Amino acid sequence: MPVAHSLRGPAPPRRAVSRQLGALLTAEAISMLGSRITFVAVPWLILVTTDSALLAGVAGFAEMLPYVLSGLIGGPIVDRVGPRPTAVTADAASVLAVAGIPLIAYCEGVSFGTLLVLIALAGALRGFGDAAKRALLPRTIAAAGLSTERGTAMYDGTCRAATLVGLPLAGVLIATLGPAVVLLFDALSFAVSALIIGALVRVGHADAAARAESEQQGYADALRDGFRYVRGDRLIVGVMAMLFATNLFDQAFATVFVPVWVRDGPHGPAALGVIGTAFGLGAVAGNLLYTVLAPRLPRRRTLGICFFLGGPAQLLALALTDRVWVVLATAAVAGALMSTVNPILMASVYRRIPTHLHGRVISVLIAVSWAGIPFGGIVGGWATDLLGLHTAALLAAIGYLAVTVSPFLFPAWQELDETPHPERNKAVATV
Protein backbone atom coordinates (compact mmCIF):
# COMPACT_ATOMS: atom_id res chain seq x y z
CA MET A 1 0.00 0.00 0.00
CA PRO A 2 1.44 3.42 -0.89
CA VAL A 3 2.24 5.52 2.12
CA ALA A 4 1.74 9.27 1.76
CA HIS A 5 3.96 11.63 3.67
CA SER A 6 2.28 14.08 6.01
CA LEU A 7 3.81 17.39 4.97
CA ARG A 8 1.38 20.16 4.14
CA GLY A 9 1.55 22.23 0.99
CA PRO A 10 3.44 21.37 -2.19
CA ALA A 11 5.59 18.25 -2.05
CA PRO A 12 9.33 18.95 -1.75
CA PRO A 13 11.66 17.92 -4.58
CA ARG A 14 12.42 14.20 -4.74
CA ARG A 15 16.11 14.88 -4.14
CA ALA A 16 15.25 16.67 -0.89
CA VAL A 17 13.22 13.79 0.51
CA SER A 18 15.91 11.35 -0.64
CA ARG A 19 18.36 13.34 1.47
CA GLN A 20 15.92 13.05 4.35
CA LEU A 21 15.95 9.26 4.03
CA GLY A 22 19.74 9.39 4.02
CA ALA A 23 19.66 11.55 7.15
CA LEU A 24 17.31 9.13 8.91
CA LEU A 25 19.49 6.16 8.01
CA THR A 26 22.58 8.04 9.19
CA ALA A 27 20.95 8.90 12.50
CA GLU A 28 19.84 5.29 12.96
CA ALA A 29 23.33 4.01 12.13
CA ILE A 30 24.93 6.28 14.75
CA SER A 31 22.33 5.43 17.37
CA MET A 32 22.63 1.70 16.57
CA LEU A 33 26.42 1.93 16.84
CA GLY A 34 26.11 3.28 20.36
CA SER A 35 23.45 0.77 21.32
CA ARG A 36 25.62 -2.12 20.15
CA ILE A 37 28.39 -0.87 22.42
CA THR A 38 25.97 -0.82 25.34
CA PHE A 39 24.63 -4.24 24.35
CA VAL A 40 28.10 -5.66 24.96
CA ALA A 41 29.24 -3.40 27.80
CA VAL A 42 26.33 -3.80 30.23
CA PRO A 43 26.26 -7.62 30.53
CA TRP A 44 30.07 -7.74 30.61
CA LEU A 45 30.11 -5.13 33.39
CA ILE A 46 27.71 -7.24 35.45
CA LEU A 47 29.42 -10.54 34.65
CA VAL A 48 32.91 -9.42 35.67
CA THR A 49 31.73 -7.65 38.82
CA THR A 50 29.39 -10.39 40.09
CA ASP A 51 30.79 -13.52 38.35
CA SER A 52 27.19 -14.62 37.76
CA ALA A 53 25.67 -15.43 34.38
CA LEU A 54 22.23 -15.19 35.99
CA LEU A 55 22.78 -11.60 37.18
CA ALA A 56 24.05 -10.67 33.72
CA GLY A 57 20.74 -11.99 32.43
CA VAL A 58 18.87 -9.98 35.07
CA ALA A 59 20.54 -6.80 33.79
CA GLY A 60 19.34 -7.66 30.30
CA PHE A 61 15.85 -8.18 31.70
CA ALA A 62 15.98 -4.81 33.46
CA GLU A 63 16.74 -3.06 30.17
CA MET A 64 14.51 -4.97 27.78
CA LEU A 65 11.26 -5.29 29.75
CA PRO A 66 10.85 -1.48 29.97
CA TYR A 67 11.96 -1.30 26.34
CA VAL A 68 9.11 -3.55 25.26
CA LEU A 69 6.48 -1.95 27.49
CA SER A 70 7.38 1.63 26.57
CA GLY A 71 7.27 0.79 22.88
CA LEU A 72 3.78 -0.61 23.37
CA ILE A 73 2.27 2.24 25.36
CA GLY A 74 3.99 4.83 23.19
CA GLY A 75 2.27 3.78 19.95
CA PRO A 76 -0.85 5.96 20.26
CA ILE A 77 1.33 8.89 21.36
CA VAL A 78 3.46 8.49 18.24
CA ASP A 79 0.32 8.62 16.09
CA ARG A 80 -0.93 11.74 17.88
CA VAL A 81 2.28 13.75 18.23
CA GLY A 82 4.04 12.42 15.12
CA PRO A 83 7.00 10.04 14.89
CA ARG A 84 9.61 12.72 14.18
CA PRO A 85 9.15 14.91 17.30
CA THR A 86 8.68 11.79 19.42
CA ALA A 87 11.96 10.30 18.19
CA VAL A 88 13.88 13.53 18.82
CA THR A 89 12.52 13.90 22.36
CA ALA A 90 13.20 10.27 23.30
CA ASP A 91 16.77 10.35 21.98
CA ALA A 92 17.51 13.61 23.80
CA ALA A 93 16.28 12.17 27.10
CA SER A 94 18.29 8.97 26.49
CA VAL A 95 21.50 11.01 26.59
CA LEU A 96 21.03 11.71 30.29
CA ALA A 97 19.84 8.21 31.19
CA VAL A 98 22.67 6.34 29.47
CA ALA A 99 25.34 8.76 30.65
CA GLY A 100 24.11 8.19 34.20
CA ILE A 101 24.91 4.45 34.14
CA PRO A 102 28.73 4.83 34.26
CA LEU A 103 28.41 7.72 36.71
CA ILE A 104 26.39 5.53 39.07
CA ALA A 105 28.77 2.62 38.54
CA TYR A 106 31.71 4.75 39.71
CA CYS A 107 29.95 5.85 42.91
CA GLU A 108 30.99 3.82 45.92
CA GLY A 109 28.26 2.16 47.93
CA VAL A 110 25.64 2.25 45.16
CA SER A 111 23.58 -0.93 45.19
CA PHE A 112 23.06 -3.28 42.27
CA GLY A 113 19.34 -2.46 42.43
CA THR A 114 20.00 1.25 41.87
CA LEU A 115 22.04 0.45 38.80
CA LEU A 116 19.22 -1.74 37.49
CA VAL A 117 16.75 1.13 37.88
CA LEU A 118 18.88 3.39 35.69
CA ILE A 119 19.37 0.61 33.14
CA ALA A 120 15.58 0.19 33.08
CA LEU A 121 15.05 3.92 32.48
CA ALA A 122 17.49 3.86 29.58
CA GLY A 123 15.70 0.86 28.11
CA ALA A 124 12.30 2.55 28.39
CA LEU A 125 13.47 5.69 26.60
CA ARG A 126 15.14 3.70 23.85
CA GLY A 127 11.95 1.68 23.33
CA PHE A 128 9.92 4.85 23.01
CA GLY A 129 12.36 6.31 20.48
CA ASP A 130 12.63 3.12 18.43
CA ALA A 131 8.83 2.88 18.15
CA ALA A 132 8.80 6.41 16.74
CA LYS A 133 11.59 5.71 14.26
CA ARG A 134 9.88 2.57 12.98
CA ALA A 135 6.75 4.63 12.29
CA LEU A 136 8.88 7.33 10.66
CA LEU A 137 10.70 4.93 8.33
CA PRO A 138 7.89 3.94 5.90
CA ARG A 139 6.86 7.57 5.43
CA THR A 140 10.41 8.57 4.60
CA ILE A 141 10.83 5.62 2.23
CA ALA A 142 7.61 6.47 0.39
CA ALA A 143 8.49 10.16 0.17
CA ALA A 144 11.84 9.21 -1.39
CA GLY A 145 10.04 7.23 -4.10
CA LEU A 146 11.55 3.84 -3.21
CA SER A 147 9.79 0.49 -3.08
CA THR A 148 9.08 -0.83 0.38
CA GLU A 149 11.34 -3.84 -0.18
CA ARG A 150 14.30 -1.74 -1.27
CA GLY A 151 13.82 0.86 1.47
CA THR A 152 13.56 -1.70 4.26
CA ALA A 153 16.56 -3.57 2.84
CA MET A 154 18.57 -0.31 2.95
CA TYR A 155 17.45 0.24 6.55
CA ASP A 156 18.40 -3.30 7.57
CA GLY A 157 21.73 -2.98 5.78
CA THR A 158 22.43 0.22 7.70
CA CYS A 159 21.70 -1.54 10.99
CA ARG A 160 23.86 -4.51 9.98
CA ALA A 161 26.77 -2.23 9.09
CA ALA A 162 26.46 -0.43 12.43
CA THR A 163 26.50 -3.79 14.18
CA LEU A 164 29.54 -4.84 12.18
CA VAL A 165 31.44 -1.78 13.42
CA GLY A 166 29.90 -1.53 16.88
CA LEU A 167 30.53 -5.00 18.25
CA PRO A 168 34.30 -5.19 17.65
CA LEU A 169 34.63 -1.54 18.65
CA ALA A 170 32.87 -2.38 21.91
CA GLY A 171 35.32 -5.21 22.58
CA VAL A 172 38.34 -3.00 21.95
CA LEU A 173 37.00 -0.09 24.01
CA ILE A 174 36.03 -2.35 26.90
CA ALA A 175 39.48 -3.92 26.91
CA THR A 176 41.22 -0.52 26.92
CA LEU A 177 38.85 1.76 28.87
CA GLY A 178 36.59 -0.57 30.84
CA PRO A 179 32.85 -1.19 30.38
CA ALA A 180 31.63 1.76 32.43
CA VAL A 181 33.50 4.41 30.44
CA VAL A 182 32.43 3.15 27.01
CA LEU A 183 28.77 3.67 27.88
CA LEU A 184 29.43 7.38 27.40
CA PHE A 185 29.85 6.65 23.68
CA ASP A 186 26.25 5.41 23.58
CA ALA A 187 25.05 8.59 25.27
CA LEU A 188 26.87 10.65 22.66
CA SER A 189 25.31 8.61 19.85
CA PHE A 190 21.81 9.45 21.09
CA ALA A 191 22.67 13.15 21.11
CA VAL A 192 23.92 13.04 17.53
CA SER A 193 20.87 11.06 16.40
CA ALA A 194 18.48 13.59 17.94
CA LEU A 195 20.29 16.48 16.25
CA ILE A 196 20.26 14.84 12.81
CA ILE A 197 16.58 13.89 12.88
CA GLY A 198 15.56 17.22 14.36
CA ALA A 199 17.52 19.28 11.82
CA LEU A 200 17.33 17.27 8.59
CA VAL A 201 14.23 15.05 8.59
CA ARG A 202 10.97 16.85 7.82
CA VAL A 203 8.45 14.07 7.19
CA GLY A 204 6.79 12.42 10.16
CA HIS A 205 4.84 15.29 11.73
CA ALA A 206 1.33 14.41 12.86
CA ASP A 207 -1.09 15.92 10.33
CA ALA A 208 -4.13 17.80 11.58
CA ALA A 209 -6.64 15.11 10.59
CA ALA A 210 -4.76 12.30 12.32
CA ARG A 211 -4.21 14.40 15.44
CA ALA A 212 -7.88 15.39 15.63
CA GLU A 213 -8.99 11.78 15.19
CA SER A 214 -6.55 10.59 17.86
CA GLU A 215 -7.58 13.27 20.34
CA GLN A 216 -11.26 12.54 19.78
CA GLN A 217 -10.73 8.82 20.12
CA GLY A 218 -8.70 8.90 23.31
CA TYR A 219 -5.54 7.06 24.31
CA ALA A 220 -7.13 3.80 25.50
CA ASP A 221 -9.30 3.45 22.41
CA ALA A 222 -6.30 4.10 20.16
CA LEU A 223 -4.30 1.40 21.94
CA ARG A 224 -7.23 -1.02 21.61
CA ASP A 225 -7.34 -0.25 17.89
CA GLY A 226 -3.76 -1.47 17.62
CA PHE A 227 -4.60 -4.78 19.32
CA ARG A 228 -7.81 -5.11 17.31
CA TYR A 229 -5.98 -4.68 14.03
CA VAL A 230 -3.28 -7.17 14.97
CA ARG A 231 -5.82 -9.74 16.15
CA GLY A 232 -7.62 -9.57 12.80
CA ASP A 233 -4.49 -10.26 10.71
CA ARG A 234 -3.42 -13.92 10.74
CA LEU A 235 -0.04 -13.25 9.19
CA ILE A 236 0.90 -10.62 11.76
CA VAL A 237 -0.18 -12.99 14.55
CA GLY A 238 2.08 -15.68 13.09
CA VAL A 239 5.00 -13.26 12.77
CA MET A 240 4.61 -12.17 16.39
CA ALA A 241 4.43 -15.72 17.72
CA MET A 242 7.56 -16.85 15.88
CA LEU A 243 9.59 -13.75 16.72
CA PHE A 244 8.63 -13.98 20.40
CA ALA A 245 10.45 -17.32 20.61
CA THR A 246 13.40 -16.55 18.34
CA ASN A 247 14.10 -13.24 20.05
CA LEU A 248 14.20 -15.04 23.41
CA PHE A 249 16.82 -17.48 22.08
CA ASP A 250 18.81 -14.70 20.38
CA GLN A 251 18.90 -12.68 23.60
CA ALA A 252 20.17 -15.65 25.57
CA PHE A 253 22.88 -16.16 22.95
CA ALA A 254 24.02 -12.53 22.86
CA THR A 255 23.85 -11.54 26.51
CA VAL A 256 24.78 -14.80 28.24
CA PHE A 257 26.19 -17.50 25.96
CA VAL A 258 28.74 -15.31 24.17
CA PRO A 259 30.05 -13.54 27.33
CA VAL A 260 30.40 -16.92 29.08
CA TRP A 261 32.19 -18.33 26.00
CA VAL A 262 34.62 -15.39 26.14
CA ARG A 263 35.09 -15.60 29.92
CA ASP A 264 35.86 -19.31 29.80
CA GLY A 265 38.21 -18.99 26.81
CA PRO A 266 41.72 -17.59 26.46
CA HIS A 267 40.88 -14.55 24.34
CA GLY A 268 39.99 -11.82 26.87
CA PRO A 269 37.23 -9.16 26.65
CA ALA A 270 38.43 -7.89 23.27
CA ALA A 271 36.92 -11.09 21.83
CA LEU A 272 33.42 -10.01 22.88
CA GLY A 273 32.81 -8.54 19.46
CA VAL A 274 34.48 -11.29 17.42
CA ILE A 275 31.35 -13.38 16.80
CA GLY A 276 29.32 -10.26 16.10
CA THR A 277 31.94 -9.08 13.61
CA ALA A 278 31.82 -12.36 11.70
CA PHE A 279 28.02 -12.29 11.73
CA GLY A 280 28.04 -8.65 10.61
CA LEU A 281 30.38 -9.30 7.69
CA GLY A 282 28.10 -12.05 6.44
CA ALA A 283 25.02 -9.91 7.03
CA VAL A 284 26.35 -6.89 5.12
CA ALA A 285 27.33 -9.09 2.17
CA GLY A 286 23.98 -10.86 2.25
CA ASN A 287 22.09 -7.58 2.52
CA LEU A 288 23.82 -6.12 -0.55
CA LEU A 289 22.92 -9.21 -2.54
CA TYR A 290 19.33 -9.25 -1.26
CA THR A 291 18.82 -5.55 -2.05
CA VAL A 292 19.49 -6.37 -5.72
CA LEU A 293 17.53 -9.63 -5.84
CA ALA A 294 14.60 -8.75 -3.55
CA PRO A 295 12.00 -7.97 -6.25
CA ARG A 296 12.62 -11.36 -7.92
CA LEU A 297 12.67 -13.64 -4.86
CA PRO A 298 9.58 -15.39 -3.42
CA ARG A 299 9.17 -13.86 0.02
CA ARG A 300 7.77 -16.80 2.02
CA ARG A 301 10.20 -19.39 0.69
CA THR A 302 13.19 -17.09 1.07
CA LEU A 303 12.22 -16.16 4.63
CA GLY A 304 11.49 -19.75 5.64
CA ILE A 305 14.71 -21.27 4.32
CA CYS A 306 17.00 -18.51 5.56
CA PHE A 307 15.40 -18.31 9.01
CA PHE A 308 15.38 -22.09 9.52
CA LEU A 309 19.02 -22.50 8.51
CA GLY A 310 20.53 -19.24 9.74
CA GLY A 311 18.70 -18.70 13.03
CA PRO A 312 19.93 -21.67 15.10
CA ALA A 313 23.32 -22.03 13.37
CA GLN A 314 25.36 -20.01 15.89
CA LEU A 315 23.72 -21.76 18.83
CA LEU A 316 24.62 -25.13 17.36
CA ALA A 317 28.20 -24.00 16.81
CA LEU A 318 28.65 -22.98 20.47
CA ALA A 319 26.97 -26.20 21.59
CA LEU A 320 28.93 -28.65 19.44
CA THR A 321 32.46 -27.27 19.14
CA ASP A 322 35.09 -25.21 20.93
CA ARG A 323 36.99 -24.40 17.75
CA VAL A 324 36.97 -20.67 17.26
CA TRP A 325 37.26 -20.79 13.46
CA VAL A 326 34.16 -23.00 13.23
CA VAL A 327 32.17 -20.62 15.43
CA LEU A 328 33.26 -17.61 13.36
CA ALA A 329 32.62 -19.26 9.99
CA THR A 330 29.17 -20.34 11.17
CA ALA A 331 28.43 -16.80 12.34
CA ALA A 332 29.34 -15.38 8.92
CA VAL A 333 27.08 -17.84 7.08
CA ALA A 334 24.27 -17.21 9.57
CA GLY A 335 24.62 -13.46 9.06
CA ALA A 336 24.28 -13.81 5.28
CA LEU A 337 21.16 -15.95 5.63
CA MET A 338 19.52 -13.82 8.32
CA SER A 339 20.05 -10.59 6.36
CA THR A 340 16.91 -11.42 4.37
CA VAL A 341 14.58 -11.86 7.34
CA ASN A 342 14.03 -8.31 8.61
CA PRO A 343 13.53 -6.67 5.18
CA ILE A 344 10.92 -9.27 4.19
CA LEU A 345 8.99 -8.99 7.44
CA MET A 346 9.20 -5.19 7.65
CA ALA A 347 8.11 -4.67 4.04
CA SER A 348 5.19 -7.07 4.40
CA VAL A 349 3.99 -5.47 7.63
CA TYR A 350 4.31 -1.89 6.38
CA ARG A 351 2.26 -2.70 3.29
CA ARG A 352 -0.55 -4.14 5.41
CA ILE A 353 -1.01 -1.28 7.87
CA PRO A 354 -2.75 2.04 7.06
CA THR A 355 -0.47 5.03 7.56
CA HIS A 356 -2.51 6.65 10.32
CA LEU A 357 -2.33 3.43 12.37
CA HIS A 358 1.41 2.85 12.00
CA GLY A 359 2.35 3.95 15.52
CA ARG A 360 -0.21 1.96 17.48
CA VAL A 361 -0.15 -1.21 15.33
CA ILE A 362 3.63 -1.43 14.93
CA SER A 363 4.05 -0.81 18.67
CA VAL A 364 1.81 -3.80 19.45
CA LEU A 365 3.62 -5.94 16.89
CA ILE A 366 7.06 -5.02 18.23
CA ALA A 367 6.00 -5.33 21.88
CA VAL A 368 4.67 -8.87 21.47
CA SER A 369 7.52 -9.93 19.17
CA TRP A 370 10.12 -8.59 21.59
CA ALA A 371 8.38 -9.75 24.76
CA GLY A 372 10.62 -12.80 24.84
CA ILE A 373 13.78 -10.69 24.95
CA PRO A 374 13.58 -9.63 28.63
CA PHE A 375 13.31 -13.29 29.62
CA GLY A 376 15.98 -14.55 27.21
CA GLY A 377 18.87 -13.42 29.37
CA ILE A 378 17.33 -14.83 32.54
CA VAL A 379 16.44 -18.18 30.98
CA GLY A 380 19.84 -18.37 29.29
CA GLY A 381 21.68 -17.45 32.48
CA TRP A 382 19.72 -19.94 34.57
CA ALA A 383 20.26 -22.73 32.02
CA THR A 384 23.98 -21.94 31.73
CA ASP A 385 24.55 -21.92 35.49
CA LEU A 386 22.57 -25.16 35.88
CA LEU A 387 23.48 -27.17 32.76
CA GLY A 388 26.62 -25.57 31.38
CA LEU A 389 27.11 -23.53 28.23
CA HIS A 390 27.11 -26.35 25.68
CA THR A 391 23.89 -28.01 26.88
CA ALA A 392 22.07 -24.69 27.27
CA ALA A 393 23.03 -23.60 23.75
CA LEU A 394 21.97 -26.97 22.29
CA LEU A 395 18.51 -26.76 23.89
CA ALA A 396 18.10 -23.22 22.57
CA ALA A 397 19.06 -24.38 19.06
CA ILE A 398 16.47 -27.16 19.17
CA GLY A 399 13.82 -24.67 20.23
CA TYR A 400 14.85 -22.33 17.42
CA LEU A 401 14.48 -25.08 14.82
CA ALA A 402 11.04 -26.02 16.16
CA VAL A 403 9.56 -22.52 15.77
CA THR A 404 11.18 -21.50 12.48
CA VAL A 405 9.49 -24.34 10.61
CA SER A 406 6.15 -22.51 10.92
CA PRO A 407 6.33 -20.59 7.57
CA PHE A 408 6.22 -23.99 5.84
CA LEU A 409 3.35 -25.38 7.93
CA PHE A 410 0.70 -22.70 8.36
CA PRO A 411 -1.37 -21.28 5.44
CA ALA A 412 -1.34 -17.72 6.81
CA TRP A 413 2.32 -17.38 5.85
CA GLN A 414 1.38 -17.69 2.18
CA GLU A 415 0.16 -14.10 2.44
CA LEU A 416 3.80 -12.99 2.46
CA ASP A 417 3.75 -13.46 -1.31
CA GLU A 418 0.62 -11.32 -1.71
CA THR A 419 0.30 -7.52 -1.89
CA PRO A 420 -2.66 -6.44 0.27
CA HIS A 421 -5.20 -4.13 -1.36
CA PRO A 422 -5.71 -0.78 0.42
CA GLU A 423 -9.42 -1.54 0.86
CA ARG A 424 -8.50 -4.69 2.76
CA ASN A 425 -6.41 -2.61 5.15
CA LYS A 426 -9.35 -0.30 5.82
CA ALA A 427 -11.62 -3.27 6.47
CA VAL A 428 -9.26 -4.91 8.92
CA ALA A 429 -8.66 -1.63 10.70
CA THR A 430 -12.33 -1.30 11.55
CA VAL A 431 -12.89 -4.87 12.77
Side-chain angles (χ1 to χ4, degrees):
M1 183 187 74
V3 182
H5 62 78
S6 57
L7 288 174
R8 302 174 182 174
R14 184 70 67 192
R15 183 176 299 175
V17 291
S18 296
R19 285 198 297 265
Q20 292 183 49
L21 176 60
L24 177 62
L25 294 180
T26 300
E28 184 65 11
I30 293 171
S31 177
M32 183 69 69
L33 179 67
S35 295
R36 286 295 174 263
I37 293 175
T38 295
F39 191 70
V40 175
V42 169
W44 182 255
L45 175 66
I46 303 303
L47 185 63
V48 297
T49 55
T50 66
D51 197 33
S52 170
L54 178 58
L55 289 183
V58 170
F61 177 88
E63 179 186 9
M64 294 311 303
L65 181 62
Y67 177 93
V68 171
L69 294 178
S70 65
L72 172 63
I73 65 177
I77 299 174
V78 171
D79 286 335
R80 175 179 296 188
V81 177
R84 175 183 171 272
T86 306
V88 172
T89 301
D91 279 359
S94 294
V95 175
L96 299 177
V98 175
I101 295 175
L103 297 179
I104 290 294
Y106 274 126
C107 294
E108 294 184 3
V110 175
S111 67
F112 179 66
T114 302
L115 185 59
L116 289 182
V117 170
L118 196 54
I119 292 173
L121 176 60
L125 290 170
R126 186 165 67 89
F128 205 83
D130 284 356
K133 292 171 189 173
R134 290 189 185 99
L136 181 59
L137 177 64
R139 306 181 190 203
T140 314
I141 290 172
L146 294 178
S147 67
T148 308
E149 285 86 358
R150 186 147 294 172
T152 53
M154 290 174 60
Y155 172 82
D156 190 64
T158 299
C159 295
R160 300 288 187 186
T163 299
L164 174 61
V165 176
L167 291 178
L169 179 62
V172 172
L173 291 176
I174 290 170
T176 56
L177 302 176
V181 175
V182 301
L183 291 172
L184 295 176
F185 286 89
D186 190 17
L188 178 62
S189 73
F190 278 114
V192 175
S193 175
L195 288 173
I196 291 175
I197 295 176
L200 301 179
V201 179
R202 286 291 174 260
V203 299
H205 290 282
D207 58 56
R211 181 178 298 175
E213 178 185 353
S214 181
E215 291 175 351
Q216 183 178 10
Q217 186 179 36
Y219 175 86
D221 289 338
L223 190 59
R224 277 194 294 270
D225 268 358
F227 281 99
R228 187 180 300 117
Y229 185 97
V230 166
R231 190 172 62 245
D233 192 306
R234 296 182 306 162
L235 176 60
I236 291 182
V237 170
V239 169
M240 292 190 306
M242 185 173 69
L243 292 183
F244 173 89
T246 59
N247 281 327
L248 184 150
F249 298 133
D250 287 336
Q251 182 75 357
F253 173 82
T255 63
V256 176
F257 297 161
V258 171
V260 170
W261 177 76
V262 171
R263 183 195 63 183
D264 295 345
H267 313 293
L272 282 169
V274 169
I275 294 180
T277 301
F279 183 91
L281 285 170
V284 170
N287 179 268
L288 292 174
L289 181 62
Y290 178 74
T291 301
V292 176
L293 299 178
R296 297 189 290 274
L297 292 176
R299 301 186 195 112
R300 181 178 69 90
R301 194 176 305 164
T302 302
L303 172 79
I305 293 173
C306 292
F307 217 165
F308 182 80
L309 296 178
Q314 296 186 92
L315 290 163
L316 286 171
L318 285 187
L320 301 178
T321 181
D322 291 320
R323 296 183 179 181
V324 175
W325 72 268
V326 175
V327 173
L328 298 184
T330 303
V333 173
L337 292 170
M338 293 297 287
S339 67
T340 66
V341 171
N342 285 341
I344 292 174
L345 293 180
M346 290 171 65
S348 299
V349 167
Y350 283 146
R351 277 194 303 266
R352 302 173 76 85
I353 304 172
T355 307
H356 70 284
L357 296 178
H358 270 164
R360 69 197 75 175
V361 175
I362 292 173
S363 67
V364 173
L365 169 62
I366 295 298
V368 176
S369 300
W370 286 49
I373 293 179
F375 303 98
I378 291 180
V379 172
W382 170 79
T384 301
D385 283 344
L386 182 67
L387 305 172
L389 173 62
H390 296 294
T391 302
L394 179 60
L395 291 176
I398 293 171
Y400 216 120
L401 288 169
V403 297
T404 51
V405 74
S406 58
F408 300 107
L409 298 180
F410 299 105
W413 287 90
Q414 295 175 6
E415 297 181 29
L416 277 179
D417 292 323
E418 302 173 1
T419 300
H421 191 276
E423 293 302 320
R424 176 194 178 281
N425 285 346
K426 293 178 183 178
V428 176
T430 56
V431 169

